Amino acid sequence: MRIGIDVGGTNTDAALICDDQVLAGAKSQTTEDVTSGVTSVIQKVLQASGHSHSDVSAVMVGTTHFVNAFVQRKSLLNVACIRIGLPLGSGIPPLVDWPDDLREQIGEHIYMIGGGSYFNGHEYATLDEQALQQAAEDIKAKGITAIAISSVFAPVRPDIETKAAEILNRHLGTAYITLSHQVGGIGLVERENAAIINASLQALSRKVVPSLHQALKELGIDAPLYLSHNDGTLMSTDYAMQFPVMTCSAGPTNSIRGAAFLSGLEEAIVVDIGGTTSDIGGLSKGFPRETSDASDIGGVRTNFSMPDVLSIGLGGGTLVKHDEQGIILGPESVGYQLTEKAMIFGGDVLTTSDIAVANGQMKFGDASLVSHLNEEFIDRVCQAMKSKLESAIDQLKISAEPIPVILVGGGAHLISGELKGTSRVIHPTNSDVANAIGAAIAQVGGRVKRLFDYQVEGGREAALEKAKQEAINNAINAGAQPGTVKVIELEEYPMTHVQSHAVDVKVKAVGQLGE
């Protein structure tokens, strides 16, 4: 019996699942400390199901703690940014593309170190250990405890970063060190950015994760705790504390996974309609489709694993206006103040929820307060909402063929009827807690993303087999049952611009959580 929890900006959702059956769902307002909101929603979902705390065998949490902290510039550590690449790799310095306020938050503590390799793994300069020692002395004098190490083509030669970390540890003792090859892919600046973000969140991760453990302890739940990964799988709390950046897109990811579970579909477009926005993502083989583009987090470009999600200003609290040009939807929203400002609750602001209630699509609040709305006007607003969503879905589709669309989230019933460019529209049961369900049913994942030289590895088949086995082993080491692990994703990107047999290989394997 598992409890899945998704901590959102407005609500914290929970779902209790046993043997692939949803026993109960619950919502609670997200609290500033987050932990008390998690405690409250667990008590609600257990009470609704009639089960006790001792029945719970695992708890899975998807949280926006870390991405919110970075976006809001809160609770961030000063970071020492060490780039290994001289005499090459200095054309674009670290942090050059960061917003000014973020650079001030983490400090511009930049250390350029000699060493590095070409794309084929051959060193063009040995690691400058003396420069590293001098950097360590300066870092220690400044009292900095978070360090991000990046080197040129680190996914090919991760040992260069690893050796640098060993040297720093000898001189600094205790420090939070993030190695870029552990969080990002090919592309020095974006990978370096991901490592710096991760390093800046280290202190917060060591506060948040233990507080979640403490919440379970206070509730009397003696069960393992897992956090949701960006790619729709689970990670241990130790891994999450080391790599908090890997939780940044857990919310949309959990919704997509939950939609797949509730609908039984493996290929579809998922629309998660909340209070302020709608998050639209692709579902491929039962998992979120990952973006191939650089991802923007708080104004910083990164290249680690993120779902391909498009957010638009359409939610249950979206303001509805009209003028000579026609219907205007948002982008303003009343958000969590819906129950105070919307007309169906006695307020004076017309929202999309008011329209849905007036049209009979949703039943909450007082429908009599919107009974005066003109039927033609209601139809025009409904059509405007559908058109806005149809346009966004069209952007996410990878072919012109009609594809099923699954609507989930608290505002899922804002949309009714057919949508252009889709084969069917599905409103699954328990769609309002799809995000929590996605957390509860998540599997354990193992990943490999690095360059392989097919000639050196003994040919393409031998190299791919090595990569697949490595991903499978990573999943098992993360807690997956050995007999259940399978490879669900394999991608090859030949490096056509270089004279070698180098190929960027990406493999993902998943398996059931071990007992």
Side-chain angles (χ1 to χ4, degrees), residues 1-3 16-18 23 42-43 45-47 49-59 215-224:
M1 190 172 292
R2 301 178 173 189
I3 293 180
L16 183 67
I17 290 184
C18 182
L23 303 182
I42 289 177
Q43 290 173 324
V45 78
L46 287 173
Q47 186 176 8
S49 67
H51 287 274
S52 68
H53 302 84
S54 60
D55 294 331
V56 180
S57 60
V59 178
L216 297 187
K217 185 177 179 181
E218 291 175 358
L219 286 170
I221 296 177
D222 183 17

CSV table of all heavy atoms in Angstrom, one decimal, residues 1-3 16-18 23 42-43 45-47 49-59 215-224:
chain,number,residue,atom,x,y,z
A,1,MET,N,0.8,-1.2,0.0
A,1,MET,CA,0.0,0.0,0.0
A,1,MET,C,0.9,1.2,0.0
A,1,MET,O,1.7,1.4,0.9
A,1,MET,CB,-0.9,0.0,1.2
A,1,MET,CG,-2.0,1.0,1.2
A,1,MET,SD,-3.1,0.8,2.6
A,1,MET,CE,-3.9,-0.7,2.1
A,2,ARG,N,0.7,2.1,-1.0
A,2,ARG,CA,1.6,3.3,-1.2
A,2,ARG,C,0.8,4.5,-1.1
A,2,ARG,O,-0.4,4.6,-1.5
A,2,ARG,CB,2.2,3.2,-2.6
A,2,ARG,CG,3.1,2.0,-2.9
A,2,ARG,CD,3.6,2.2,-4.3
A,2,ARG,NE,4.6,1.2,-4.7
A,2,ARG,CZ,5.3,1.2,-5.8
A,2,ARG,NH1,5.1,2.2,-6.7
A,2,ARG,NH2,6.1,0.3,-6.1
A,3,ILE,N,1.4,5.6,-0.6
A,3,ILE,CA,0.8,6.9,-0.6
A,3,ILE,C,1.7,7.8,-1.5
A,3,ILE,O,2.9,7.9,-1.3
A,3,ILE,CB,0.8,7.6,0.8
A,3,ILE,CG1,-0.2,6.8,1.7
A,3,ILE,CG2,0.4,9.0,0.7
A,3,ILE,CD1,-0.2,7.4,3.1
A,16,LEU,N,-3.9,7.2,-2.1
A,16,LEU,CA,-3.6,5.9,-1.5
A,16,LEU,C,-3.9,4.8,-2.5
A,16,LEU,O,-5.0,4.7,-3.0
A,16,LEU,CB,-4.4,5.7,-0.2
A,16,LEU,CG,-4.0,4.4,0.5
A,16,LEU,CD1,-2.6,4.5,1.1
A,16,LEU,CD2,-5.0,4.2,1.7
A,17,ILE,N,-2.8,4.0,-2.9
A,17,ILE,CA,-3.0,3.0,-3.9
A,17,ILE,C,-2.6,1.6,-3.3
A,17,ILE,O,-1.5,1.5,-2.6
A,17,ILE,CB,-2.1,3.3,-5.1
A,17,ILE,CG1,-2.7,4.5,-5.8
A,17,ILE,CG2,-2.0,2.1,-6.1
A,17,ILE,CD1,-2.0,4.9,-7.1
A,18,CYS,N,-3.3,0.6,-3.6
A,18,CYS,CA,-3.0,-0.8,-3.3
A,18,CYS,C,-3.3,-1.7,-4.4
A,18,CYS,O,-4.4,-1.7,-4.9
A,18,CYS,CB,-3.8,-1.2,-2.0
A,18,CYS,SG,-3.4,-2.9,-1.4
A,23,LEU,N,-7.5,3.7,-3.8
A,23,LEU,CA,-8.4,3.6,-2.6
A,23,LEU,C,-9.0,4.9,-2.2
A,23,LEU,O,-10.1,5.0,-1.7
A,23,LEU,CB,-7.7,2.9,-1.5
A,23,LEU,CG,-7.1,1.5,-1.7
A,23,LEU,CD1,-6.4,1.0,-0.4
A,23,LEU,CD2,-8.1,0.6,-2.3
A,42,ILE,N,-1.8,13.5,4.4
A,42,ILE,CA,-1.6,12.1,4.7
A,42,ILE,C,-2.7,11.6,5.7
A,42,ILE,O,-3.4,10.6,5.5
A,42,ILE,CB,-0.2,11.7,5.3
A,42,ILE,CG1,0.8,11.9,4.2
A,42,ILE,CG2,-0.2,10.3,5.9
A,42,ILE,CD1,2.2,11.7,4.7
A,43,GLN,N,-3.0,12.5,6.7
A,43,GLN,CA,-4.1,12.1,7.6
A,43,GLN,C,-5.4,12.1,6.9
A,43,GLN,O,-6.2,11.2,7.2
A,43,GLN,CB,-4.1,13.2,8.7
A,43,GLN,CG,-2.9,13.1,9.7
A,43,GLN,CD,-2.8,14.2,10.7
A,43,GLN,OE1,-3.1,15.3,10.4
A,43,GLN,NE2,-2.3,13.9,11.9
A,45,VAL,N,-6.1,11.4,3.7
A,45,VAL,CA,-6.2,10.3,2.7
A,45,VAL,C,-6.4,9.0,3.5
A,45,VAL,O,-7.2,8.1,3.1
A,45,VAL,CB,-5.1,10.3,1.7
A,45,VAL,CG1,-3.8,9.7,2.3
A,45,VAL,CG2,-5.5,9.5,0.5
A,46,LEU,N,-5.7,8.9,4.6
A,46,LEU,CA,-5.9,7.6,5.4
A,46,LEU,C,-7.3,7.6,6.0
A,46,LEU,O,-7.9,6.5,6.1
A,46,LEU,CB,-4.8,7.6,6.5
A,46,LEU,CG,-3.4,7.2,6.0
A,46,LEU,CD1,-2.4,7.3,7.1
A,46,LEU,CD2,-3.4,5.8,5.4
A,47,GLN,N,-7.7,8.7,6.5
A,47,GLN,CA,-9.1,8.8,7.1
A,47,GLN,C,-10.1,8.5,6.1
A,47,GLN,O,-11.1,7.8,6.3
A,47,GLN,CB,-9.3,10.2,7.7
A,47,GLN,CG,-10.6,10.3,8.5
A,47,GLN,CD,-10.8,11.7,9.1
A,47,GLN,OE1,-10.0,12.6,8.9
A,47,GLN,NE2,-11.8,11.8,9.9
A,49,SER,N,-9.9,6.6,3.5
A,49,SER,CA,-9.8,5.2,3.1
A,49,SER,C,-10.1,4.2,4.2
A,49,SER,O,-10.4,3.1,3.9
A,49,SER,CB,-8.4,4.9,2.5
A,49,SER,OG,-7.5,4.9,3.6
A,50,GLY,N,-10.1,4.7,5.4
A,50,GLY,CA,-10.3,3.8,6.6
A,50,GLY,C,-9.1,3.0,6.9
A,50,GLY,O,-9.3,2.0,7.7
A,51,HIS,N,-8.0,3.3,6.4
A,51,HIS,CA,-6.8,2.5,6.8
A,51,HIS,C,-5.9,3.3,7.8
A,51,HIS,O,-6.1,4.5,8.0
A,51,HIS,CB,-5.9,2.3,5.5
A,51,HIS,CG,-6.5,1.3,4.6
A,51,HIS,ND1,-6.3,-0.1,4.7
A,51,HIS,CD2,-7.3,1.4,3.5
A,51,HIS,CE1,-7.0,-0.7,3.8
A,51,HIS,NE2,-7.6,0.1,3.0
A,52,SER,N,-5.0,2.6,8.4
A,52,SER,CA,-4.2,3.2,9.5
A,52,SER,C,-2.8,3.4,9.0
A,52,SER,O,-2.4,2.9,7.9
A,52,SER,CB,-4.1,2.2,10.7
A,52,SER,OG,-3.4,1.1,10.4
A,53,HIS,N,-2.0,4.1,9.8
A,53,HIS,CA,-0.7,4.5,9.4
A,53,HIS,C,0.2,3.2,9.2
A,53,HIS,O,1.1,3.2,8.4
A,53,HIS,CB,0.0,5.4,10.4
A,53,HIS,CG,-0.8,6.7,10.6
A,53,HIS,ND1,-1.9,6.8,11.5
A,53,HIS,CD2,-0.6,7.9,10.1
A,53,HIS,CE1,-2.4,8.0,11.4
A,53,HIS,NE2,-1.6,8.7,10.6
A,54,SER,N,-0.1,2.2,10.0
A,54,SER,CA,0.8,1.0,9.9
A,54,SER,C,0.6,0.2,8.7
A,54,SER,O,1.4,-0.7,8.3
A,54,SER,CB,0.4,0.1,11.2
A,54,SER,OG,-0.9,-0.3,11.1
A,55,ASP,N,-0.5,0.5,7.9
A,55,ASP,CA,-0.7,-0.2,6.6
A,55,ASP,C,0.1,0.3,5.5
A,55,ASP,O,0.3,-0.4,4.5
A,55,ASP,CB,-2.2,-0.1,6.2
A,55,ASP,CG,-3.2,-0.7,7.2
A,55,ASP,OD1,-2.8,-1.7,7.8
A,55,ASP,OD2,-4.3,-0.2,7.3
A,56,VAL,N,0.8,1.4,5.7
A,56,VAL,CA,1.5,2.0,4.6
A,56,VAL,C,2.9,1.4,4.4
A,56,VAL,O,3.6,1.3,5.4
A,56,VAL,CB,1.7,3.6,4.8
A,56,VAL,CG1,2.5,4.2,3.7
A,56,VAL,CG2,0.3,4.2,5.0
A,57,SER,N,3.2,1.0,3.2
A,57,SER,CA,4.5,0.3,2.9
A,57,SER,C,5.5,1.2,2.3
A,57,SER,O,6.7,0.9,2.3
A,57,SER,CB,4.3,-0.9,2.1
A,57,SER,OG,3.7,-0.6,0.8
A,58,ALA,N,5.1,2.3,1.7
A,58,ALA,CA,6.0,3.2,1.0
A,58,ALA,C,5.3,4.6,0.8
A,58,ALA,O,4.1,4.6,0.6
A,58,ALA,CB,6.5,2.7,-0.3
A,59,VAL,N,6.1,5.6,0.8
A,59,VAL,CA,5.6,7.0,0.6
A,59,VAL,C,6.5,7.6,-0.5
A,59,VAL,O,7.7,7.6,-0.4
A,59,VAL,CB,5.6,7.9,1.8
A,59,VAL,CG1,5.1,9.3,1.5
A,59,VAL,CG2,4.8,7.2,2.9
A,215,ALA,N,8.3,14.1,9.4
A,215,ALA,CA,6.8,14.1,9.3
A,215,ALA,C,6.2,12.7,9.3
A,215,ALA,O,5.2,12.5,10.0
A,215,ALA,CB,6.4,14.8,8.0
A,216,LEU,N,6.8,11.8,8.6
A,216,LEU,CA,6.4,10.4,8.6
A,216,LEU,C,6.5,9.8,10.0
A,216,LEU,O,5.7,9.0,10.5
A,216,LEU,CB,7.1,9.6,7.6
A,216,LEU,CG,7.0,10.0,6.1
A,216,LEU,CD1,7.7,9.0,5.2
A,216,LEU,CD2,5.5,10.1,5.7
A,217,LYS,N,7.6,10.1,10.6
A,217,LYS,CA,7.9,9.5,12.0
A,217,LYS,C,6.9,10.0,13.0
A,217,LYS,O,6.3,9.2,13.8
A,217,LYS,CB,9.3,10.0,12.4
A,217,LYS,CG,9.7,9.3,13.8
A,217,LYS,CD,11.2,9.8,14.1
A,217,LYS,CE,11.6,9.1,15.4
A,217,LYS,NZ,13.0,9.6,15.8
A,218,GLU,N,6.5,11.3,12.9
A,218,GLU,CA,5.5,11.9,13.8
A,218,GLU,C,4.1,11.3,13.6
A,218,GLU,O,3.3,11.2,14.5
A,218,GLU,CB,5.5,13.4,13.7
A,218,GLU,CG,6.7,14.1,14.2
A,218,GLU,CD,6.7,15.6,13.9
A,218,GLU,OE1,5.7,16.0,13.3
A,218,GLU,OE2,7.7,16.2,14.3
A,219,LEU,N,3.9,10.8,12.3
A,219,LEU,CA,2.6,10.2,12.0
A,219,LEU,C,2.6,8.7,12.4
A,219,LEU,O,1.5,8.1,12.2
A,219,LEU,CB,2.3,10.4,10.5
A,219,LEU,CG,1.9,11.8,10.1
A,219,LEU,CD1,1.9,11.8,8.5
A,219,LEU,CD2,0.5,12.1,10.6
A,220,GLY,N,3.7,8.2,12.7
A,220,GLY,CA,3.8,6.8,13.1
A,220,GLY,C,3.9,5.9,11.8
A,220,GLY,O,3.6,4.7,11.9
A,221,ILE,N,4.4,6.4,10.7
A,221,ILE,CA,4.5,5.7,9.5
A,221,ILE,C,6.0,5.2,9.4
A,221,ILE,O,6.9,6.0,9.2
A,221,ILE,CB,4.2,6.5,8.2
A,221,ILE,CG1,2.7,6.9,8.3
A,221,ILE,CG2,4.5,5.7,7.0
A,221,ILE,CD1,2.3,7.8,7.1
A,222,ASP,N,6.2,3.9,9.5
A,222,ASP,CA,7.5,3.3,9.4
A,222,ASP,C,7.6,2.6,8.0
A,222,ASP,O,7.4,1.4,7.9
A,222,ASP,CB,7.7,2.2,10.5
A,222,ASP,CG,9.1,1.6,10.5
A,222,ASP,OD1,9.9,2.2,9.9
A,222,ASP,OD2,9.2,0.5,11.1
A,223,ALA,N,7.9,3.5,7.1
A,223,ALA,CA,8.0,3.0,5.7
A,223,ALA,C,9.0,3.8,4.9
A,223,ALA,O,9.3,5.0,5.3
A,223,ALA,CB,6.6,3.2,5.0
A,224,PRO,N,9.6,3.3,3.9
A,224,PRO,CA,10.6,4.0,3.1
A,224,PRO,C,10.0,5.2,2.4
A,224,PRO,O,8.9,5.2,2.0
A,224,PRO,CB,11.2,3.0,2.2
A,224,PRO,CG,10.2,1.9,2.1
A,224,PRO,CD,9.5,1.9,3.4
